[in-house]
Amino acid sequence: MKEVAQESATKQNEIGLESGLGLQIQFRSLPDVVLAYESLHNEPTHIELLSIHTEGEYTFANVFVPDGELGHFEKYVVEYLEEKKDRNGKSRDHKALLNTIESIRTAELRALWTDEPDLLPENPDEVFWWEVWLPVRGQRVQVMEDFRKLTELVGCEVGDEHVDFPERTVMLMRGSQRQFSQSVMTLNCVAELRRAKETAEFFDGMNAKEQYAWKDDLLARSSFPSHENDVPRVCLLDSGVNRAHPLLEPLLEGSDLHSVEPVWGVHDEVNHGTGLAGIAAYGDLTDALADAGPFRIDHLLESVKLLQLQGGNAGSAEFHANRFGDAVSQPEVSFPHRPRVFSSAATTSDYRDRGRPSSWSSAVDRLASDADGNGEFPRLFIQSAGNIDDQHAWLDYPASLSTNLIHDPGQAWNALTVGAYTDKVNTEDLALHPVAGEGEPSPFTTTSATWDKAWPLKPDVVFEGGNVSRSGNFVGTQPSLNLLTTHHKPHERLFTTSNATSAASALCSRMAAQLMVAYPQLRPETIRALIVHSAEWTDAMRQMYPLITKKDYVYLIRHCGWGVPNLERARWSLANSLTLIIEGALHPYRKDKGAIKTRDMHLHELPWPKDELEALGETNVEMRVTLSYFIEPNPSARGTASRFHYPSHRLRFDVRRPLETTDDFLARVNAAAALEEDEQAINPKDPNWWLGSQQRHKGSIHQDVWTGTAADLASRGFLAVYPAMGWWRTRPKLDRFNLPARYSLIVSIRTPETEIDIYNAVAAQIIAPVAIET
């Protein structure tokens, strides 16, 4: 160790460092023995205890030893071995320290790491941002200058900013472990190493030159698809997009930009649509920039300028019901065969409809169902729920969520309506506190808490929408609590921030496009179902809205939807989770002797591995069912439960109960269909569903979760999809009763981790549905 110290001192003198020479040593305790670390610190000799951390059964202490003071510890050992005494004749007892030490070695990089162990990359060449905690030895300025000299020699980059504490200075450094470990001198400068916590504020606060460097790094790591017509697109219906942004240029061609008013142009004047384009492509740019690995984008973008100066506030709904249809038609006329998802963050500024269909929401439903084409080419719409922009409401969080309702056209039955939650709680200012806790609904999000029970359960899902901060009666937004995205004036700045349900809807559109890339054959109804099916509530949501009764579940959904979707859950079935996807179509009605009656019911035999489930016995399992379809709207103010129905048709699902024969199940479903036909309430007798049949059948996407034993689930091998009342039946003069109704059905079962592999026991092919006339 003496040789290492001498070599370090020689090199430091050659470079001309002024902040103090020395060596860092790591002490490791014996297993499960507390290290007497207090004895490692010695003020007279300037030997400094830098940090302590525990890994498993060992305690590690890192100590800085100034040049020439290494003999201090050698003297400890000699006195311990020779039992020397002090001037008063008392033995110099160093047993408390030395008896607890198992090994002493020169400190390595990993020894200085005091953050979570799994945050240190396994790949030593991965470049990322570090928090470097420097000890204060002499002048702070000199310590920082010496650190800069050393890091420049090994090819690392040090940020301009720093934070000072009584005995530490914290700086940011970008580099790899291999670079940083090249020199013992670099490690000797450091007290602790942690991973930097990147927020949008970190990148948003950079000057233009720094932002361009980060942009270049991301583009160098990114791959983009070719501009073929079979590549899925996210089509943004917003304030236009500035294609000149270098991060967006690979994803947009000039022919991909449209406007409902040619005189407006296609460019973004309000810094809204360009930001949503960045999120729809890259997600939160904070994550994309901070990650040093390859970044792949497999979908492209389109834009239609629907708004000129209002941003997300669209003004008159009647005005935009027509404009919305024009916006949808433009890319379809230019490129009719492209797969695309339409994404709209445009809403009205109020919520007076309270769930009742408007001309705008009805236009969205009509376009989604392709009513003009008899449902041959349905469309997927991602629609933001609308925002709470009132600072007084933010102060009243979370009560404000229940009184600020979803804005038009977020009540559209066929749209996937997106609310917002947040995991962003780092205000980067000790005087400011986040209004929402981690995993809670965003203060921006709106809900359907006080809608009439006849209207759909909205929002459908929630994505990251940012947070606001508070200090006393002051409340406001700040960059660190927002999402980072692309600025609409890239010649001035490359990055800006976005938030609320606009940003959340762009994230949802990105996920939809990613699923369309993975499953190009799936219908829009199925993509919608996959997103909802993959969603789960955070623990914070469940704590905010405790779940005891079925009404509690409804209340939670009307605030948080079905939770936060997960792309990986939507993409794959794991070994302990079986997911079944069925795309079907039935004829809900028929004409019989001049009267319109219910016609088809589909009976699906589910390929449950019965033997494997029965082997699990009383083990609790979960079955999740999602039924998604698009209705043709018929809006009026003539009631919701009469012959003047809003939806063209309704569909229902039911599952065979334990000990119920298939014939008994069919008879029960037929009876339920007859009750629906007469518009009578169904008396549910299957209590283990979260919502139950009376609560789940709202809107045009129905989801419910059954929980019970694996043995009970083993006997539930059939699921029925059957029709209920709609205006196709009650308005025969409109001559729509003979049209088919498409639907998408997703069923999954989840079991605990066991040695029984359910997935591999499932039959390779899905059994076709049996059509039964009701």
Side-chain angles (χ1 to χ4, degrees):
M1 197 174 294
K2 274 188 174 181
E3 289 76 8
V4 174
Q6 291 168 355
E7 180 186 354
S8 175
T10 301
K11 290 186 177 179
Q12 290 184 35
N13 287 324
E14 290 174 356
I15 298 171
L17 305 183
E18 304 293 338
S19 58
L21 310 179
L23 179 70
Q24 291 213 26
I25 301 174
Q26 183 188 67
F27 295 81
R28 186 174 78 169
S29 73
L30 290 164
D32 296 319
V33 176
V34 178
L35 188 67
Y37 56 82
E38 296 89 349
S39 301
L40 295 172
H41 191 86
N42 189 277
E43 292 282 355
T45 59
H46 303 290
I47 293 175
E48 181 183 1
L49 176 63
L50 297 175
S51 62
I52 301 167
H53 70 281
T54 301
E55 289 184 22
E57 57 188 359
Y58 294 100
T59 301
F60 296 88
N62 295 306
V63 177
F64 174 78
V65 182
D67 187 34
E69 297 295 340
L70 194 58
H72 177 81
F73 290 107
E74 292 180 345
K75 189 171 70 170
Y76 272 15
V77 176
V78 171
E79 291 175 348
Y80 172 70
L81 295 174
E82 297 181 358
E83 296 187 358
K84 286 190 176 182
K85 300 180 180 181
D86 60 20
R87 67 181 64 179
N88 298 320
K90 185 178 180 181
S91 295
R92 293 174 174 173
D93 188 3
H94 303 298
K95 291 181 181 179
L97 170 63
L98 297 179
N99 284 350
T100 63
I101 294 175
E102 181 182 73
S103 65
I104 304 174
R105 63 181 181 181
T106 304
E108 300 172 350
L109 182 147
R110 190 171 292 273
L112 302 173
W113 186 262
T114 59
D115 214 334
E116 293 295 325
D118 57 356
L119 292 178
L120 185 64
E122 293 183 5
N123 180 5
D125 294 312
E126 180 177 329
V127 177
F128 64 100
W129 279 94
W130 309 62
E131 262 188 19
V132 182
W133 293 60
L134 303 175
V136 179
R137 301 179 188 129
Q139 298 294 320
R140 285 184 192 270
V141 174
Q142 196 61 57
V143 170
M144 291 188 290
E145 287 182 2
D146 287 350
F147 179 69
R148 286 185 188 280
K149 289 179 183 179
L150 291 168
T151 51
E152 287 174 1
L153 288 175
V154 297
C156 293
E157 174 189 352
V158 179
D160 295 329
E161 298 180 353
H162 61 91
V163 178
D164 294 332
F165 297 104
E167 294 183 299
R168 296 288 185 264
T169 294
V170 184
M171 304 182 73
L172 292 180
M173 180 197 74
R174 188 168 187 266
S176 69
Q177 296 175 63
R178 194 182 302 279
Q179 288 174 310
F180 196 50
S181 301
Q182 286 179 18
S183 170
V184 174
M185 296 181 295
T186 313
L187 300 177
N188 288 346
C189 289
V190 177
E192 296 180 50
L193 293 170
R194 305 181 190 181
R195 185 150 194 159
K197 299 178 178 67
E198 293 95 348
T199 67
E201 187 166 4
F202 174 75
F203 298 103
D204 186 51
M206 291 178 174
N207 59 43
K209 182 179 179 181
E210 291 174 318
Q211 289 189 346
Y212 264 83
W214 281 91
K215 174 266 299 179
D216 291 340
D217 174 75
L218 177 56
L219 284 178
R221 295 184 284 109
S222 298
S223 60
F224 305 96
S226 61
H227 286 259
E228 302 296 332
N229 282 333
D230 61 346
V231 176
R233 264 81 169 175
V234 173
C235 183
L236 295 153
L237 310 179
D238 207 84
S239 63
V241 172
N242 289 346
R243 177 176 166 266
H245 196 291
L247 291 179
L248 299 179
E249 191 173 6
L251 302 164
L252 284 158
E253 295 183 328
S255 58
D256 297 324
L257 305 177
H258 310 270
S259 176
V260 293
E261 289 287 349
V263 295
W264 290 355
V266 297
H267 60 291
D268 179 13
E269 303 171 67
V270 296
N271 202 21
H272 197 261
T274 303
L276 299 189
I279 294 173
Y282 295 89
D284 187 345
L285 268 176
T286 304
D287 301 325
L289 294 172
D291 186 358
F295 195 88
R296 180 172 175 172
I297 299 177
D298 292 317
H299 61 281
L300 297 170
L301 302 176
E302 293 176 328
S303 168
V304 183
K305 191 170 183 176
L306 177 65
L307 313 168
Q308 185 180 21
L309 298 174
Q310 299 99 329
N313 180 7
S316 165
E318 290 72 26
F319 182 69
H320 281 86
N322 184 57
R323 278 269 170 86
F324 203 83
D326 291 343
V328 169
S329 68
Q330 292 205 23
E332 291 187 337
V333 169
S334 300
F335 303 99
H337 301 298
R338 283 181 177 176
R340 57 173 60 88
V341 51
F342 290 96
S343 179
S344 174
T347 66
T348 58
S349 57
D350 62 64
Y351 47 83
R352 65 179 183 270
D353 296 297
R354 308 180 75 86
R356 183 169 57 93
S358 70
S359 61
W360 191 358
S361 72
S362 300
V364 174
D365 283 335
R366 186 171 182 82
L367 289 164
S369 66
D370 186 32
D372 294 334
N374 290 333
E376 188 175 356
F377 299 105
R379 304 172 178 91
L380 178 59
F381 286 94
I382 308 297
Q383 175 63 52
S384 71
N387 302 325
I388 301 175
D389 295 323
D390 183 3
Q391 295 185 3
H392 296 291
W394 295 342
L395 288 170
D396 196 30
Y397 177 93
S400 56
L401 302 178
S402 301
T403 56
N404 286 267
L405 305 181
I406 290 172
H407 297 188
D408 188 22
Q411 72 270 38
W413 288 37
N414 296 336
L416 185 59
T417 304
V418 182
Y421 91 109
T422 190
D423 279 327
K424 296 185 178 292
V425 294
N426 182 8
T427 64
E428 299 195 347
D429 187 336
L430 294 178
L432 298 175
H433 305 282
V435 167
E438 185 174 355
E440 292 182 346
S442 168
F444 296 107
T445 199
T446 51
T447 71
S448 64
T450 59
W451 281 6
D452 185 271
K453 64 180 182 180
W455 301 126
L457 302 174
K458 296 280 185 173
D460 295 298
V461 292
V462 292
F463 280 79
E464 178 65 68
N467 207 343
V468 296
S469 60
R470 178 174 182 173
S471 179
N473 289 325
F474 165 81
V475 64
T477 62
Q478 63 182 101
S480 68
L481 300 180
N482 292 344
L483 290 78
L484 190 74
T485 189
T486 43
H487 197 280
H488 76 306
K489 293 183 178 180
H491 57 284
E492 297 179 2
R493 296 184 58 76
L494 288 177
F495 306 140
T496 185
T497 63
S498 180
N499 58 25
T501 61
S502 295
S505 64
L507 286 175
C508 183
S509 302
R510 178 174 183 253
M511 179 177 176
Q514 290 171 318
L515 290 173
M516 292 167 69
V517 169
Y519 303 107
Q521 76 282 6
L522 293 184
R523 301 171 178 174
E525 302 97 319
T526 312
I527 298 295
R528 177 176 71 152
L530 275 172
I531 293 174
V532 174
H533 195 87
S534 74
E536 290 186 352
W537 296 305
T538 65
D539 292 339
M541 293 173 188
R542 288 175 174 268
Q543 291 170 9
M544 184 175 285
Y545 304 105
L547 299 171
I548 300 174
T549 67
K550 294 186 187 312
K551 289 184 178 180
D552 294 332
Y553 280 97
V554 171
Y555 196 66
L556 172 56
I557 295 170
R558 289 203 178 275
H559 285 82
C560 304
W562 281 93
V564 185
N566 181 282
L567 181 61
E568 302 311 312
R569 279 197 300 267
R571 275 179 170 166
W572 293 296
S573 295
L574 304 178
N576 64 330
S577 174
L578 168 67
T579 302
L580 178 68
I581 300 175
I582 299 172
E583 294 184 328
L586 57 76
H587 283 80
Y589 312 117
R590 61 187 172 90
K591 195 169 187 177
D592 181 18
K593 299 178 182 179
I596 310 301
K597 297 183 178 180
T598 300
R599 177 179 167 180
D600 288 348
M601 171 184 70
H602 275 182
L603 182 66
H604 297 278
E605 184 175 356
L606 303 176
W608 292 157
K610 187 174 181 180
D611 292 342
E612 282 72 12
L613 285 172
E614 288 179 342
L616 292 175
E618 296 300 307
T619 302
N620 286 325
V621 297
E622 176 184 293
M623 175 172 62
R624 182 176 298 234
V625 181
T626 308
L627 177 64
S628 172
Y629 58 98
F630 291 159
I631 58 96
E632 180 183 354
N634 186 15
S636 71
R638 295 179 288 182
T640 62
S642 69
R643 68 192 187 96
F644 303 107
H645 293 279
Y646 176 73
S648 53
H649 62 286
R650 293 182 174 95
L651 297 180
R652 303 284 187 258
F653 72 80
D654 205 345
V655 180
R656 189 175 72 174
R657 297 170 186 170
L659 305 180
E660 190 174 41
T661 68
T662 304
D663 288 341
D664 289 343
F665 175 50
L666 289 175
R668 180 169 59 80
V669 171
N670 274 312
L675 288 173
E676 291 271 9
E677 193 170 307
D678 296 333
E679 300 190 89
Q680 299 181 40
I682 300 172
N683 182 26
K685 294 182 179 178
D686 200 0
N688 287 1
W689 294 92
W690 285 358
L691 298 183
S693 59
Q694 290 186 334
Q695 303 285 359
R696 68 183 174 227
H697 292 135
K698 315 284 186 183
S700 63
I701 184 165
H702 312 313
Q703 180 162 280
D704 207 351
V705 177
W706 177 89
T707 56
T709 67
D712 280 348
L713 181 60
S715 62
R716 289 176 170 266
F718 286 92
L719 182 147
V721 177
Y722 63 94
M725 196 62 71
W727 66 263
W728 277 359
R729 176 177 173 176
T730 60
R731 306 293 287 163
K733 291 183 179 180
L734 298 178
D735 197 26
R736 307 288 282 178
F737 58 83
N738 59 344
L739 291 176
R742 306 190 341 165
Y743 67 87
S744 298
L745 179 69
I746 302 180
V747 187
S748 68
I749 55 175
R750 296 185 186 179
T751 66
E753 297 284 351
T754 67
E755 295 180 358
I756 299 174
D757 189 348
I758 290 180
Y759 181 76
N760 289 328
V762 177
Q765 66 178 21
I766 298 170
I767 300 173
V770 179
I772 299 173
E773 212 170 88
T774 59

